[in-house]
mmCIF file of all heavy atoms in Angstrom:
data_model
loop_
_atom_site.group_PDB
_atom_site.id
_atom_site.type_symbol
_atom_site.label_atom_id
_atom_site.label_comp_id
_atom_site.label_asym_id
_atom_site.label_seq_id
_atom_site.Cartn_x
_atom_site.Cartn_y
_atom_site.Cartn_z
ATOM 1 N N TYR Z 27 0.877 -1.244 -0.038
ATOM 2 C CA TYR Z 27 -0.028 -0.031 0.016
ATOM 3 C C TYR Z 27 0.786 1.237 -0.053
ATOM 4 O O TYR Z 27 0.253 2.323 0.020
ATOM 5 C CB TYR Z 27 -0.961 -0.045 1.208
ATOM 6 C CG TYR Z 27 -1.975 -1.019 1.107
ATOM 7 C CD1 TYR Z 27 -1.831 -2.346 1.678
ATOM 8 C CD2 TYR Z 27 -3.216 -0.791 0.423
ATOM 9 C CE1 TYR Z 27 -2.816 -3.248 1.544
ATOM 10 C CE2 TYR Z 27 -4.178 -1.779 0.402
ATOM 11 C CZ TYR Z 27 -4.086 -3.030 0.905
ATOM 12 O OH TYR Z 27 -4.990 -3.931 0.822
ATOM 13 N N ASN Z 28 2.195 1.075 0.043
ATOM 14 C CA ASN Z 28 3.077 2.270 0.035
ATOM 15 C C ASN Z 28 2.737 3.284 1.128
ATOM 16 O O ASN Z 28 2.846 4.444 0.931
ATOM 17 C CB ASN Z 28 3.012 2.873 -1.292
ATOM 18 C CG ASN Z 28 4.243 3.906 -1.536
ATOM 19 O OD1 ASN Z 28 5.358 3.688 -0.974
ATOM 20 N ND2 ASN Z 28 3.961 4.916 -2.328
ATOM 21 N N PHE Z 29 2.356 2.700 2.289
ATOM 22 C CA PHE Z 29 1.879 3.595 3.460
ATOM 23 C C PHE Z 29 2.910 3.145 4.592
ATOM 24 O O PHE Z 29 2.892 1.998 5.144
ATOM 25 C CB PHE Z 29 0.448 3.292 3.871
ATOM 26 C CG PHE Z 29 0.012 4.194 4.898
ATOM 27 C CD1 PHE Z 29 -0.674 5.459 4.548
ATOM 28 C CD2 PHE Z 29 0.049 3.982 6.205
ATOM 29 C CE1 PHE Z 29 -1.161 6.319 5.447
ATOM 30 C CE2 PHE Z 29 -0.417 4.845 7.136
ATOM 31 C CZ PHE Z 29 -1.006 6.065 6.812
ATOM 32 N N THR Z 30 3.624 4.226 4.961
ATOM 33 C CA THR Z 30 4.692 4.032 5.999
ATOM 34 C C THR Z 30 4.335 4.665 7.323
ATOM 35 O O THR Z 30 3.327 5.342 7.372
ATOM 36 C CB THR Z 30 6.018 4.599 5.524
ATOM 37 O OG1 THR Z 30 5.944 5.922 5.510
ATOM 38 C CG2 THR Z 30 6.313 4.059 4.130
ATOM 39 N N LEU Z 31 5.123 4.522 8.283
ATOM 40 C CA LEU Z 31 4.911 5.126 9.553
ATOM 41 C C LEU Z 31 5.110 6.679 9.390
ATOM 42 O O LEU Z 31 4.250 7.356 10.158
ATOM 43 C CB LEU Z 31 5.969 4.702 10.605
ATOM 44 C CG LEU Z 31 5.779 3.360 11.162
ATOM 45 C CD1 LEU Z 31 6.900 2.793 12.056
ATOM 46 C CD2 LEU Z 31 4.396 3.168 11.881
ATOM 47 N N VAL Z 32 5.872 7.126 8.546
ATOM 48 C CA VAL Z 32 5.985 8.557 8.343
ATOM 49 C C VAL Z 32 4.638 9.056 7.796
ATOM 50 O O VAL Z 32 4.160 10.208 8.227
ATOM 51 C CB VAL Z 32 7.080 8.798 7.357
ATOM 52 C CG1 VAL Z 32 7.186 10.362 6.902
ATOM 53 C CG2 VAL Z 32 8.480 8.452 7.801
ATOM 54 N N ASP Z 33 4.035 8.266 6.952
ATOM 55 C CA ASP Z 33 2.677 8.759 6.366
ATOM 56 C C ASP Z 33 1.603 8.759 7.584
ATOM 57 O O ASP Z 33 0.816 9.674 7.592
ATOM 58 C CB ASP Z 33 2.277 7.744 5.359
ATOM 59 C CG ASP Z 33 3.060 7.747 4.107
ATOM 60 O OD1 ASP Z 33 3.321 8.850 3.651
ATOM 61 O OD2 ASP Z 33 3.463 6.612 3.682
ATOM 62 N N LEU Z 34 1.817 7.906 8.445
ATOM 63 C CA LEU Z 34 0.881 7.921 9.635
ATOM 64 C C LEU Z 34 1.107 9.202 10.540
ATOM 65 O O LEU Z 34 0.176 9.764 10.926
ATOM 66 C CB LEU Z 34 0.991 6.664 10.523
ATOM 67 C CG LEU Z 34 0.251 6.531 11.785
ATOM 68 C CD1 LEU Z 34 -1.313 6.578 11.392
ATOM 69 C CD2 LEU Z 34 0.556 5.273 12.598
ATOM 70 N N TYR Z 35 2.438 9.455 10.789
ATOM 71 C CA TYR Z 35 2.758 10.585 11.536
ATOM 72 C C TYR Z 35 2.168 11.858 10.962
ATOM 73 O O TYR Z 35 1.583 12.820 11.591
ATOM 74 C CB TYR Z 35 4.326 10.795 11.694
ATOM 75 C CG TYR Z 35 4.952 9.547 12.249
ATOM 76 C CD1 TYR Z 35 6.364 9.299 11.895
ATOM 77 C CD2 TYR Z 35 4.310 8.623 13.199
ATOM 78 C CE1 TYR Z 35 6.952 8.214 12.386
ATOM 79 C CE2 TYR Z 35 4.975 7.585 13.684
ATOM 80 C CZ TYR Z 35 6.383 7.338 13.301
ATOM 81 O OH TYR Z 35 6.927 6.321 13.818
ATOM 82 N N GLN Z 36 2.295 12.015 9.563
ATOM 83 C CA GLN Z 36 1.805 13.234 8.865
ATOM 84 C C GLN Z 36 0.295 13.255 8.973
ATOM 85 O O GLN Z 36 -0.317 14.331 9.204
ATOM 86 C CB GLN Z 36 2.342 13.127 7.434
ATOM 87 C CG GLN Z 36 3.689 13.343 7.319
ATOM 88 C CD GLN Z 36 4.231 13.199 5.829
ATOM 89 O OE1 GLN Z 36 3.517 12.690 5.023
ATOM 90 N NE2 GLN Z 36 5.382 13.666 5.582
ATOM 91 N N LEU Z 37 -0.310 12.067 8.847
ATOM 92 C CA LEU Z 37 -1.884 11.987 8.893
ATOM 93 C C LEU Z 37 -2.349 12.358 10.212
ATOM 94 O O LEU Z 37 -3.322 13.061 10.347
ATOM 95 C CB LEU Z 37 -2.275 10.549 8.574
ATOM 96 C CG LEU Z 37 -3.682 10.278 8.347
ATOM 97 C CD1 LEU Z 37 -4.260 10.960 7.158
ATOM 98 C CD2 LEU Z 37 -3.984 8.741 8.062
ATOM 99 N N THR Z 38 -1.731 11.936 11.325
ATOM 100 C CA THR Z 38 -2.220 12.204 12.610
ATOM 101 C C THR Z 38 -1.981 13.696 13.048
ATOM 102 O O THR Z 38 -2.587 14.210 13.963
ATOM 103 C CB THR Z 38 -1.725 11.278 13.727
ATOM 104 O OG1 THR Z 38 -0.239 11.394 13.658
ATOM 105 C CG2 THR Z 38 -2.166 9.872 13.441
ATOM 106 N N ASN Z 39 -1.141 14.336 12.228
ATOM 107 C CA ASN Z 39 -0.906 15.779 12.535
ATOM 108 C C ASN Z 39 -1.781 16.618 11.674
ATOM 109 O O ASN Z 39 -1.879 17.788 11.765
ATOM 110 C CB ASN Z 39 0.538 16.136 12.253
ATOM 111 C CG ASN Z 39 0.925 17.461 12.930
ATOM 112 O OD1 ASN Z 39 0.502 17.788 13.976
ATOM 113 N ND2 ASN Z 39 1.642 18.287 12.073
ATOM 114 N N LYS Z 40 -2.518 15.963 10.728
ATOM 115 C CA LYS Z 40 -3.388 16.761 9.862
ATOM 116 C C LYS Z 40 -4.877 16.695 10.180
ATOM 117 O O LYS Z 40 -5.547 17.663 9.952
ATOM 118 C CB LYS Z 40 -3.238 16.062 8.426
ATOM 119 C CG LYS Z 40 -3.971 16.641 7.251
ATOM 120 C CD LYS Z 40 -3.701 16.002 5.946
ATOM 121 C CE LYS Z 40 -4.540 16.478 4.826
ATOM 122 N NZ LYS Z 40 -4.345 15.841 3.553
ATOM 123 N N ILE Z 41 -5.310 15.516 10.641
ATOM 124 C CA ILE Z 41 -6.863 15.439 10.841
ATOM 125 C C ILE Z 41 -7.243 15.941 12.103
ATOM 126 O O ILE Z 41 -6.887 15.582 13.154
ATOM 127 C CB ILE Z 41 -7.202 13.931 10.790
ATOM 128 C CG1 ILE Z 41 -6.941 13.341 9.423
ATOM 129 C CG2 ILE Z 41 -8.703 13.775 11.126
ATOM 130 C CD1 ILE Z 41 -7.277 11.883 9.322
ATOM 131 N N ASP Z 42 -7.868 17.082 12.012
ATOM 132 C CA ASP Z 42 -8.286 18.008 13.198
ATOM 133 C C ASP Z 42 -9.716 17.548 13.588
ATOM 134 O O ASP Z 42 -10.594 18.412 13.516
ATOM 135 C CB ASP Z 42 -8.197 19.422 12.714
ATOM 136 C CG ASP Z 42 -8.386 20.371 14.021
ATOM 137 O OD1 ASP Z 42 -8.272 19.903 15.114
ATOM 138 O OD2 ASP Z 42 -8.623 21.593 13.734
ATOM 139 N N PHE Z 43 -9.848 16.407 14.222
ATOM 140 C CA PHE Z 43 -11.194 15.899 14.531
ATOM 141 C C PHE Z 43 -11.816 16.725 15.674
ATOM 142 O O PHE Z 43 -13.042 16.653 15.954
ATOM 143 C CB PHE Z 43 -11.248 14.500 14.798
ATOM 144 C CG PHE Z 43 -10.642 14.139 16.178
ATOM 145 C CD1 PHE Z 43 -11.440 13.747 17.206
ATOM 146 C CD2 PHE Z 43 -9.221 14.115 16.365
ATOM 147 C CE1 PHE Z 43 -10.909 13.410 18.465
ATOM 148 C CE2 PHE Z 43 -8.731 13.719 17.665
ATOM 149 C CZ PHE Z 43 -9.605 13.359 18.640
ATOM 150 N N LEU Z 44 -11.041 17.461 16.416
ATOM 151 C CA LEU Z 44 -11.510 18.190 17.526
ATOM 152 C C LEU Z 44 -11.637 19.697 17.175
ATOM 153 O O LEU Z 44 -12.047 20.643 18.025
ATOM 154 C CB LEU Z 44 -10.661 18.232 18.805
ATOM 155 C CG LEU Z 44 -10.587 16.788 19.510
ATOM 156 C CD1 LEU Z 44 -9.575 16.913 20.623
ATOM 157 C CD2 LEU Z 44 -11.972 16.545 20.024
ATOM 158 N N ASN Z 45 -11.473 19.968 15.888
ATOM 159 C CA ASN Z 45 -11.482 21.409 15.378
ATOM 160 C C ASN Z 45 -10.647 22.350 16.149
ATOM 161 O O ASN Z 45 -11.071 23.448 16.445
ATOM 162 C CB ASN Z 45 -12.956 21.897 15.396
ATOM 163 C CG ASN Z 45 -13.871 21.171 14.387
ATOM 164 O OD1 ASN Z 45 -13.476 20.935 13.249
ATOM 165 N ND2 ASN Z 45 -15.092 20.790 14.761
ATOM 166 N N LYS Z 46 -9.521 21.815 16.524
ATOM 167 C CA LYS Z 46 -8.514 22.580 17.364
ATOM 168 C C LYS Z 46 -8.166 23.869 16.679
ATOM 169 O O LYS Z 46 -7.985 24.927 17.267
ATOM 170 C CB LYS Z 46 -7.263 21.883 17.670
ATOM 171 C CG LYS Z 46 -7.519 20.696 18.598
ATOM 172 C CD LYS Z 46 -7.260 21.195 20.013
ATOM 173 C CE LYS Z 46 -7.383 20.003 21.026
ATOM 174 N NZ LYS Z 46 -6.926 20.361 22.381
ATOM 175 N N LYS Z 47 -7.898 23.910 15.299
ATOM 176 C CA LYS Z 47 -7.506 25.083 14.562
ATOM 177 C C LYS Z 47 -8.533 26.067 14.703
ATOM 178 O O LYS Z 47 -8.269 27.273 14.959
ATOM 179 C CB LYS Z 47 -7.186 24.765 13.143
ATOM 180 C CG LYS Z 47 -5.959 23.902 12.947
ATOM 181 C CD LYS Z 47 -5.685 23.565 11.523
ATOM 182 C CE LYS Z 47 -4.445 22.772 11.217
ATOM 183 N NZ LYS Z 47 -4.267 22.367 9.865
ATOM 184 N N ILE Z 48 -9.752 25.775 14.465
ATOM 185 C CA ILE Z 48 -10.881 26.637 14.514
ATOM 186 C C ILE Z 48 -11.019 27.234 15.901
ATOM 187 O O ILE Z 48 -11.141 28.509 16.196
ATOM 188 C CB ILE Z 48 -12.258 26.007 14.115
ATOM 189 C CG1 ILE Z 48 -12.166 25.631 12.663
ATOM 190 C CG2 ILE Z 48 -13.350 26.959 14.304
ATOM 191 C CD1 ILE Z 48 -13.456 24.949 12.173
ATOM 192 N N LEU Z 49 -10.852 26.357 16.946
ATOM 193 C CA LEU Z 49 -11.054 26.799 18.319
ATOM 194 C C LEU Z 49 -9.837 27.824 18.669
ATOM 195 O O LEU Z 49 -10.015 28.723 19.428
ATOM 196 C CB LEU Z 49 -11.000 25.634 19.329
ATOM 197 C CG LEU Z 49 -12.292 24.676 19.194
ATOM 198 C CD1 LEU Z 49 -12.041 23.410 20.111
ATOM 199 C CD2 LEU Z 49 -13.472 25.444 19.638
ATOM 200 N N ASN Z 50 -8.685 27.539 18.193
ATOM 201 C CA ASN Z 50 -7.546 28.400 18.398
ATOM 202 C C ASN Z 50 -7.733 29.798 17.908
ATOM 203 O O ASN Z 50 -7.396 30.847 18.454
ATOM 204 C CB ASN Z 50 -6.294 27.809 17.909
ATOM 205 C CG ASN Z 50 -5.709 26.656 18.813
ATOM 206 O OD1 ASN Z 50 -5.999 26.644 20.066
ATOM 207 N ND2 ASN Z 50 -4.939 25.788 18.278
ATOM 208 N N ILE Z 51 -8.328 29.708 16.709
ATOM 209 C CA ILE Z 51 -8.593 31.050 15.952
ATOM 210 C C ILE Z 51 -9.597 31.868 16.796
ATOM 211 O O ILE Z 51 -9.404 33.060 17.032
ATOM 212 C CB ILE Z 51 -9.109 30.821 14.542
ATOM 213 C CG1 ILE Z 51 -7.986 30.153 13.683
ATOM 214 C CG2 ILE Z 51 -9.716 32.112 13.889
ATOM 215 C CD1 ILE Z 51 -8.440 29.712 12.235
ATOM 216 N N ILE Z 52 -10.770 31.047 17.206
ATOM 217 C CA ILE Z 52 -11.633 31.770 17.990
ATOM 218 C C ILE Z 52 -11.122 32.300 19.308
ATOM 219 O O ILE Z 52 -11.314 33.470 19.788
ATOM 220 C CB ILE Z 52 -12.858 30.819 18.357
ATOM 221 C CG1 ILE Z 52 -13.569 30.458 17.056
ATOM 222 C CG2 ILE Z 52 -13.795 31.395 19.335
ATOM 223 C CD1 ILE Z 52 -14.628 29.421 17.044
ATOM 224 N N HIS Z 53 -10.246 31.454 19.959
ATOM 225 C CA HIS Z 53 -9.654 31.816 21.211
ATOM 226 C C HIS Z 53 -8.726 33.112 21.010
ATOM 227 O O HIS Z 53 -8.814 33.975 21.861
ATOM 228 C CB HIS Z 53 -8.880 30.668 21.769
ATOM 229 C CG HIS Z 53 -8.122 30.962 23.086
ATOM 230 N ND1 HIS Z 53 -8.764 31.222 24.243
ATOM 231 C CD2 HIS Z 53 -6.849 31.025 23.312
ATOM 232 C CE1 HIS Z 53 -7.959 31.441 25.204
ATOM 233 N NE2 HIS Z 53 -6.765 31.356 24.695
ATOM 234 N N ASN Z 54 -7.914 32.887 20.014
ATOM 235 C CA ASN Z 54 -7.077 34.148 19.785
ATOM 236 C C ASN Z 54 -7.769 35.446 19.367
ATOM 237 O O ASN Z 54 -7.427 36.477 19.774
ATOM 238 C CB ASN Z 54 -6.008 33.769 18.618
ATOM 239 C CG ASN Z 54 -5.075 32.715 19.025
ATOM 240 O OD1 ASN Z 54 -4.769 32.518 20.222
ATOM 241 N ND2 ASN Z 54 -4.482 31.927 18.058
ATOM 242 N N ASN Z 55 -8.886 35.270 18.657
ATOM 243 C CA ASN Z 55 -9.689 36.432 18.371
ATOM 244 C C ASN Z 55 -10.375 36.994 19.672
ATOM 245 O O ASN Z 55 -10.434 38.207 19.855
ATOM 246 C CB ASN Z 55 -10.776 36.194 17.336
ATOM 247 C CG ASN Z 55 -10.212 35.981 15.971
ATOM 248 O OD1 ASN Z 55 -9.186 36.446 15.701
ATOM 249 N ND2 ASN Z 55 -10.976 35.310 15.086
ATOM 250 N N PHE Z 56 -10.705 36.118 20.560
ATOM 251 C CA PHE Z 56 -11.324 36.569 21.746
ATOM 252 C C PHE Z 56 -10.328 37.296 22.669
ATOM 253 O O PHE Z 56 -10.568 38.330 23.269
ATOM 254 C CB PHE Z 56 -11.832 35.275 22.594
ATOM 255 C CG PHE Z 56 -12.281 35.667 23.992
ATOM 256 C CD1 PHE Z 56 -13.533 36.223 24.149
ATOM 257 C CD2 PHE Z 56 -11.404 35.429 25.086
ATOM 258 C CE1 PHE Z 56 -14.002 36.490 25.504
ATOM 259 C CE2 PHE Z 56 -11.866 35.654 26.402
ATOM 260 C CZ PHE Z 56 -13.098 36.157 26.535
ATOM 261 N N LEU Z 57 -9.069 36.793 22.702
ATOM 262 C CA LEU Z 57 -8.017 37.363 23.423
ATOM 263 C C LEU Z 57 -7.690 38.718 22.904
ATOM 264 O O LEU Z 57 -7.450 39.747 23.589
ATOM 265 C CB LEU Z 57 -6.636 36.522 23.511
ATOM 266 C CG LEU Z 57 -6.790 35.185 24.220
ATOM 267 C CD1 LEU Z 57 -5.465 34.399 24.116
ATOM 268 C CD2 LEU Z 57 -7.168 35.526 25.744
ATOM 269 N N LEU Z 58 -7.672 38.851 21.492
ATOM 270 C CA LEU Z 58 -7.465 40.248 20.883
ATOM 271 C C LEU Z 58 -8.486 41.205 21.103
ATOM 272 O O LEU Z 58 -8.163 42.264 21.547
ATOM 273 C CB LEU Z 58 -7.336 39.935 19.311
ATOM 274 C CG LEU Z 58 -7.212 41.157 18.531
ATOM 275 C CD1 LEU Z 58 -5.722 41.857 18.848
ATOM 276 C CD2 LEU Z 58 -7.140 40.821 17.017
ATOM 277 N N LYS Z 59 -9.658 40.737 21.145
ATOM 278 C CA LYS Z 59 -10.842 41.609 21.416
ATOM 279 C C LYS Z 59 -10.728 42.102 22.873
ATOM 280 O O LYS Z 59 -11.043 43.249 23.248
ATOM 281 C CB LYS Z 59 -12.097 40.942 21.164
ATOM 282 C CG LYS Z 59 -12.431 40.570 19.689
ATOM 283 C CD LYS Z 59 -12.593 41.879 18.852
ATOM 284 C CE LYS Z 59 -12.940 41.496 17.422
ATOM 285 N NZ LYS Z 59 -13.024 42.683 16.547
ATOM 286 N N GLU Z 60 -10.402 41.159 23.764
ATOM 287 C CA GLU Z 60 -10.305 41.415 25.192
ATOM 288 C C GLU Z 60 -9.175 42.319 25.457
ATOM 289 O O GLU Z 60 -9.320 43.317 26.183
ATOM 290 C CB GLU Z 60 -10.028 40.023 25.949
ATOM 291 C CG GLU Z 60 -10.117 40.225 27.411
ATOM 292 C CD GLU Z 60 -9.883 38.861 28.148
ATOM 293 O OE1 GLU Z 60 -8.865 38.263 27.871
ATOM 294 O OE2 GLU Z 60 -10.656 38.507 29.014
ATOM 295 N N GLN Z 61 -8.085 42.115 24.751
ATOM 296 C CA GLN Z 61 -7.033 43.267 24.913
ATOM 297 C C GLN Z 61 -7.359 44.524 24.301
ATOM 298 O O GLN Z 61 -7.113 45.653 24.906
ATOM 299 C CB GLN Z 61 -5.660 42.729 24.090
ATOM 300 C CG GLN Z 61 -4.530 43.605 24.310
ATOM 301 C CD GLN Z 61 -4.015 43.558 25.826
ATOM 302 O OE1 GLN Z 61 -3.911 42.603 26.437
ATOM 303 N NE2 GLN Z 61 -3.850 44.837 26.352
ATOM 304 N N GLN Z 62 -8.094 44.609 23.235
ATOM 305 C CA GLN Z 62 -8.480 45.859 22.730
ATOM 306 C C GLN Z 62 -9.490 46.507 23.497
ATOM 307 O O GLN Z 62 -9.416 47.756 23.739
ATOM 308 C CB GLN Z 62 -9.185 45.576 21.287
ATOM 309 C CG GLN Z 62 -8.237 45.160 20.140
ATOM 310 C CD GLN Z 62 -8.953 44.770 18.857
ATOM 311 O OE1 GLN Z 62 -10.154 44.501 18.905
ATOM 312 N NE2 GLN Z 62 -8.226 44.779 17.817
ATOM 313 N N LEU Z 63 -10.376 45.771 24.278
ATOM 314 C CA LEU Z 63 -11.356 46.294 25.061
ATOM 315 C C LEU Z 63 -10.647 46.911 26.377
ATOM 316 O O LEU Z 63 -10.967 47.884 26.881
ATOM 317 C CB LEU Z 63 -12.333 45.290 25.590
ATOM 318 C CG LEU Z 63 -13.456 45.777 26.479
ATOM 319 C CD1 LEU Z 63 -14.256 46.896 25.899
ATOM 320 C CD2 LEU Z 63 -14.351 44.489 26.844
ATOM 321 N N GLU Z 64 -9.613 46.120 26.853
ATOM 322 C CA GLU Z 64 -8.803 46.560 27.999
ATOM 323 C C GLU Z 64 -8.083 47.862 27.716
ATOM 324 O O GLU Z 64 -8.038 48.846 28.504
ATOM 325 C CB GLU Z 64 -7.845 45.502 28.454
ATOM 326 C CG GLU Z 64 -7.125 45.892 29.682
ATOM 327 C CD GLU Z 64 -6.207 44.692 30.019
ATOM 328 O OE1 GLU Z 64 -6.486 43.595 29.767
ATOM 329 O OE2 GLU Z 64 -5.133 44.957 30.703
ATOM 330 N N ASN Z 65 -7.484 47.965 26.482
ATOM 331 C CA ASN Z 65 -6.825 49.135 26.082
ATOM 332 C C ASN Z 65 -7.742 50.421 25.982
ATOM 333 O O ASN Z 65 -7.528 51.513 26.420
ATOM 334 C CB ASN Z 65 -6.246 48.959 24.702
ATOM 335 C CG ASN Z 65 -5.002 48.101 24.813
ATOM 336 O OD1 ASN Z 65 -4.439 47.786 25.843
ATOM 337 N ND2 ASN Z 65 -4.617 47.454 23.640
ATOM 338 N N ALA Z 66 -9.050 50.126 25.442
ATOM 339 C CA ALA Z 66 -10.032 51.167 25.322
ATOM 340 C C ALA Z 66 -10.403 51.619 26.581
ATOM 341 O O ALA Z 66 -10.584 52.867 26.951
ATOM 342 C CB ALA Z 66 -11.188 50.701 24.512
ATOM 343 N N ASN Z 67 -10.671 50.737 27.611
ATOM 344 C CA ASN Z 67 -11.007 51.079 28.943
ATOM 345 C C ASN Z 67 -9.940 51.871 29.625
ATOM 346 O O ASN Z 67 -10.183 52.915 30.365
ATOM 347 C CB ASN Z 67 -11.396 49.847 29.838
ATOM 348 C CG ASN Z 67 -12.653 49.231 29.407
ATOM 349 O OD1 ASN Z 67 -13.529 49.847 28.890
ATOM 350 N ND2 ASN Z 67 -12.805 47.862 29.709
ATOM 351 N N TYR Z 68 -8.665 51.544 29.420
ATOM 352 C CA TYR Z 68 -7.525 52.268 29.946
ATOM 353 C C TYR Z 68 -7.517 53.741 29.417
ATOM 354 O O TYR Z 68 -7.386 54.773 30.190
ATOM 355 C CB TYR Z 68 -6.295 51.553 29.612
ATOM 356 C CG TYR Z 68 -4.960 52.344 30.021
ATOM 357 C CD1 TYR Z 68 -4.666 52.471 31.383
ATOM 358 C CD2 TYR Z 68 -4.193 52.981 29.137
ATOM 359 C CE1 TYR Z 68 -3.571 53.056 31.788
ATOM 360 C CE2 TYR Z 68 -3.138 53.710 29.520
ATOM 361 C CZ TYR Z 68 -2.786 53.685 30.892
ATOM 362 O OH TYR Z 68 -1.654 54.411 31.188
ATOM 363 N N GLU Z 69 -7.765 53.926 28.123
ATOM 364 C CA GLU Z 69 -7.684 55.258 27.541
ATOM 365 C C GLU Z 69 -8.956 56.078 28.036
ATOM 366 O O GLU Z 69 -8.807 57.202 28.247
ATOM 367 C CB GLU Z 69 -7.802 55.125 26.000
ATOM 368 C CG GLU Z 69 -6.580 54.523 25.374
ATOM 369 C CD GLU Z 69 -5.394 55.396 25.669
ATOM 370 O OE1 GLU Z 69 -5.485 56.657 25.650
ATOM 371 O OE2 GLU Z 69 -4.276 54.814 25.864
ATOM 372 N N ILE Z 70 -10.088 55.457 28.201
ATOM 373 C CA ILE Z 70 -11.237 56.239 28.772
ATOM 374 C C ILE Z 70 -10.954 56.604 30.211
ATOM 375 O O ILE Z 70 -11.253 57.751 30.524
ATOM 376 C CB ILE Z 70 -12.542 55.241 28.753
ATOM 377 C CG1 ILE Z 70 -12.996 55.005 27.277
ATOM 378 C CG2 ILE Z 70 -13.659 55.876 29.545
ATOM 379 C CD1 ILE Z 70 -14.048 53.976 27.079
#
């Protein structure tokens, strides 16, 4: 099948079944908005 352990390693780093990438983007956006809000409150 021409499928090696290296192929498995690459595969398990690719399939995002927990949607970690999306969650990280949401989390990072949340942190950014939180920081922006904190900065705005500081200026006020």
Side-chain angles (χ1 to χ4, degrees):
Y27 291 93
N28 196 31
F29 188 89
T30 68
L31 287 175
V32 174
D33 294 313
L34 177 63
Y35 304 151
Q36 293 174 342
L37 190 63
T38 53
N39 195 41
K40 176 182 178 182
I41 298 178
D42 186 17
F43 75 103
L44 291 177
N45 293 317
K46 289 273 188 173
K47 290 181 180 179
I48 295 176
L49 291 175
N50 281 337
I51 292 173
I52 294 173
H53 179 66
N54 291 335
N55 285 340
F56 173 78
L57 292 178
L58 178 61
K59 295 294 184 183
E60 190 177 50
Q61 184 62 50
Q62 290 173 342
L63 181 60
E64 184 177 332
N65 291 341
N67 288 335
Y68 176 72
E69 292 300 325
I70 292 172

